[in-house]
Each structure stands twice: as structure tokens, then as C-alpha cells.
Amino acid sequence: VIAPYVGTSTLVWTSLIGIILASLSVGYWWGGKLADKNPSIVHVIRALFMAGILVGVVAFLQPLVGIVANITGSIRVNAVLSSIIFFAPATIAFGTVSPLIARLRIISVESSGQTVGRLYALSTIGSILGTFLGGFFLISYFGTTKILLLLAVVALLNSGLLFVFHKKQ
């Protein structure tokens, strides 16, 4: 998304990785607060819905990356700003899901470690698969816009399915 405007240097990758990790941390923190305050599948549904909308917005706002990526004369600042503006909001929304799901899945304190460990393992496996599939195949075949739109649709479908199944209970 930002590579055509700021490049793919170590500085750009450092910015992307740092902002994604920071955004996930904010999402985890926020999701943890929500989970303790009011553990509800409704929060998961909202987080996935918002993440889907925010990813979809990025797909349509890609042409604006060129403007943001040239705000200053510093590639570091431009890469960080671009990463924050285009990736942080959706990443924060996605980050809230893990602690919410963990709180909902924990049945007893005795099995809480196993539950959280399983969720973290699945999350990490998903990240690894997404990284390798995206970097090695999907971006080459489909381009970033189609991938972003697909990710938005998947997040929105998941939120919709959770909503439907939640209402039936």
C-alpha cells in the first residue's frame, strides 16, 4: 500500500512493523478493558465490524497514500505517518478481538492458561500464514486493493455471522 510512495527499505518495514505492533498493543489493552468491564460477544461483533469497515476504507483511500507519504522530507516520518493513518485504526480494532474472545472462552481459572495459550497459538499461526501467503503469493496475484477488500469482506461476514448466531441463542 505505501511501498510505491515511500519504498520498501528497512526504514519503511521498521515503521510498518512498529506501528502494527503498537496498534495491536493498544487494541489488546482496550479489548482487555472491555472484556473485564462487560464480557460480551457484542463487543467482538462490533470490533470485527469496525475492523472490516476500516480495512475497506483503506482499500478505497490508497490514492491518498501518495499525499501522506510526502508530507515531510523525511522517509522515516512519512513512513510512520502513513503507517499510522492507513493501518493503525483497523489494527487496533482487530487487536481488541483477542482479549474479548479469551475472556469469553475462559470457563474456569484452572483451564485459563490452556485457553489463552490456544488462542495465542491460533492467532500467531494465522499471522504466519497471512505473512507468507501475502508476501509470496497473494499480493503478486491479486494486488493489495483486492486483498484489502477481501479482508474487509471476511471481517464483515464474520461479524455478521456472529451477530446472527448470537441472536439465535
Side-chain angles (χ1 to χ4, degrees):
V1 173
I2 66 172
Y5 307 98
V6 293
T8 58
S9 70
T10 302
L11 298 173
V12 175
W13 279 106
T14 300
S15 300
L16 280 166
I17 293 167
I19 296 305
I20 295 296
L21 291 173
S23 300
L24 283 172
S25 294
V26 170
Y28 296 152
W29 172 81
W30 188 12
K33 283 187 65 119
L34 284 172
D36 284 343
K37 183 178 178 182
N38 180 17
S40 170
I41 193 70
V42 172
H43 293 306
V44 176
I45 293 166
R46 288 178 182 158
L48 285 172
F49 182 80
M50 282 307 302
I53 295 295
L54 291 166
V55 169
V57 166
V58 170
F60 290 107
L61 294 182
Q62 277 184 308
L64 297 178
V65 175
I67 296 168
V68 174
N70 291 303
I71 288 176
T72 73
S74 169
I75 189 171
R76 288 177 176 94
V77 173
N78 292 341
V80 168
L81 284 175
S82 297
S83 298
I84 290 170
I85 291 168
F86 293 99
F87 297 112
T91 304
I92 291 169
F94 276 124
T96 63
V97 173
S98 293
L100 289 165
I101 296 283
R103 178 70 167 86
L104 294 171
R105 295 290 300 164
I106 291 174
I107 297 165
S108 71
V109 175
E110 290 80 22
S111 64
S112 62
Q114 184 179 19
T115 300
V116 171
R118 188 178 310 119
L119 290 170
Y120 285 166
L122 288 171
S123 172
T124 303
I125 290 167
S127 295
I128 292 166
L129 285 173
T131 299
F132 283 105
L133 285 173
F136 290 160
F137 304 107
L138 299 176
I139 293 172
S140 301
Y141 291 117
F142 300 108
T144 55
T145 303
K146 287 180 184 170
I147 293 169
L148 288 170
L149 290 172
L150 178 63
L151 180 58
V153 167
V154 168
L156 291 169
L157 281 175
N158 279 318
S159 70
L161 288 171
L162 283 173
F163 179 77
V164 168
F165 287 118
H166 169 67
K167 289 295 181 190
K168 286 186 177 182
Q169 292 180 342

